[in-house]
Amino acid sequence: MDREISPPPIKRRKLGQSVPVDPTHLPPSMVPTPASPNTMRIFSWNINGITPFLQKSITSFFPKSSGPNSKNDSVPRASLRSFLHRHHWPSILLIQEVKIAHKDARTQDAVRTAINPSTTSTDNGPTYDAHFTLPNDPFNARGPRGSGKVYGVCSILRRSLSQRYTVNVRTVDWDAEGRVSVVELTNGEEKLAIFNIYAVNGTDNPYRDPTTGRVCGTRHDRKRAFHALLASECKRLEEQGWEVLLGGDMNVAPDARDGWPKLRTFPQAHVLNRSDFREKFLSGMGDGKEQKAAGFNGMDVWREMHRDERRYTYYSRGREWGTSCDRVDYFVTGRGAWERGLIKHCGILNSEAERGPSDHVPIWVDVAHPSTEKERS
């Protein structure tokens, strides 16, 4: 989420019935056991800047706590390699808001080093590749003092994926802010497209034409245009026979179960943005009678699997843990992949330790290898 504008306001308008579970008393989700050999585990995490993860040892970002979620004796290091190791070497790690300038090859190389074993260590874990989509928009993604260190996503893939799939990683021609990366996995007739998304955060700030710099609306307008462009991209892929999975920071809490203490409903533009997102991406939820033409026709994986359970992914660092939080990070899958049973498990690692130096916690999903699922049927 865009740091200068994203934290929820202090006052939130009442939406109706109160949320029955105080997140400060929720037990944190457990770190999942290793994924089945027939599935690939995908993590997604808005890390709020890559810098802490490239330093040798950072622990000061993990505040001590005396609350029920405190686990000070097992605080993880702010290290990408440690994260991958601790979570059983996932197949894919999607990270958002890396804040790397597109010309900064040195930092990109540092990330590639950070996700792999060093030459002097005894680490014999798997190796990974990092694929960057970084901002190249001089008017809308300038960053502090014009540095360009803002937004940006990185898709980190285990190299062993190439033993099962032909792997292609690309971006889209309608995004210059470093918000979309597409990991395409193909195996014969089986095709899976995994989107790494850092969606636009709607504000009243101006949005400028990326070529001319002319003001052509607000960031709220751009957010809704982003929704339309992304939904169109997903629908196009599905029409070409791809299964589609989106993961990342969507910058929208879908409904009243996804905000604490209340869902953000003011100013009115946030309500419009939420409604637009649901129409474009979540029209597949419910009784299955929705019109497919309304949007991508997707399914919110967490909500489908966990129904009314309340867990959150964004925790403001300016507030005491759990006093203001939202579920804005999640996976959305196409109806085809859902009905085929490709989505097996998912989770939210909602603890201060897992939040680390960020203001978001990691989420994960297990996806069956499409070819394996076909063999079983």
Side-chain angles (χ1 to χ4, degrees), residues 264-276:
R264 186 175 185 177
T265 59
F266 182 81
Q268 180 67 18
H270 292 296
V271 177
L272 297 177
N273 293 343
R274 179 177 299 111
S275 176
D276 185 72

Side-chain angles (χ1 to χ4, degrees), residues 148-287:
K149 295 177 64 174
V150 64
Y151 313 145
V153 300
C154 178
S155 299
I156 299 171
L157 278 60
R158 272 182 67 161
R159 289 177 184 165
S160 59
L161 276 174
S162 62
Q163 297 173 9
R164 180 184 288 265
Y165 299 101
T166 298
V167 179
N168 179 57
V169 183
R170 64 174 177 87
T171 185
V172 292
D173 58 11
W174 44 265
D175 167 48
E177 294 188 12
R179 294 185 176 277
V180 181
S181 174
V182 188
V183 178
E184 296 177 334
L185 306 177
T186 57
N187 182 351
E189 296 180 356
E190 299 294 340
K191 301 189 293 185
L192 174 64
I194 303 164
F195 283 72
N196 183 357
I197 301 297
Y198 179 38
V200 176
N201 190 15
T203 72
D204 290 325
N205 292 340
Y207 177 75
R208 300 179 181 273
D209 183 285
T211 302
T212 67
R214 179 180 61 87
V215 175
C216 52
T218 68
R219 300 292 290 182
H220 288 300
D221 297 321
R222 178 57 185 172
K223 181 175 184 63
R224 293 189 285 269
F226 181 92
H227 290 167
L229 289 163
L230 180 59
S232 178
E233 187 84 17
C234 294
K235 290 176 69 175
R236 180 182 65 83
L237 285 173
E238 282 199 325
E239 290 168 359
Q240 296 175 356
W242 291 83
E243 302 291 5
V244 175
L245 177 70
L246 294 88
D249 179 1
M250 307 301 176
N251 260 314
V252 169
D255 63 40
R257 295 166 293 183
D258 300 312
W260 176 270
K262 294 286 187 275
L263 190 68
R264 186 175 185 177
T265 59
F266 182 81
Q268 180 67 18
H270 292 296
V271 177
L272 297 177
N273 293 343
R274 179 177 299 111
S275 176
D276 185 72
F277 182 86
R278 290 183 59 86
E279 177 184 344
K280 296 291 193 308
F281 294 98
L282 301 181
S283 57
M285 298 182 68
D287 59 11

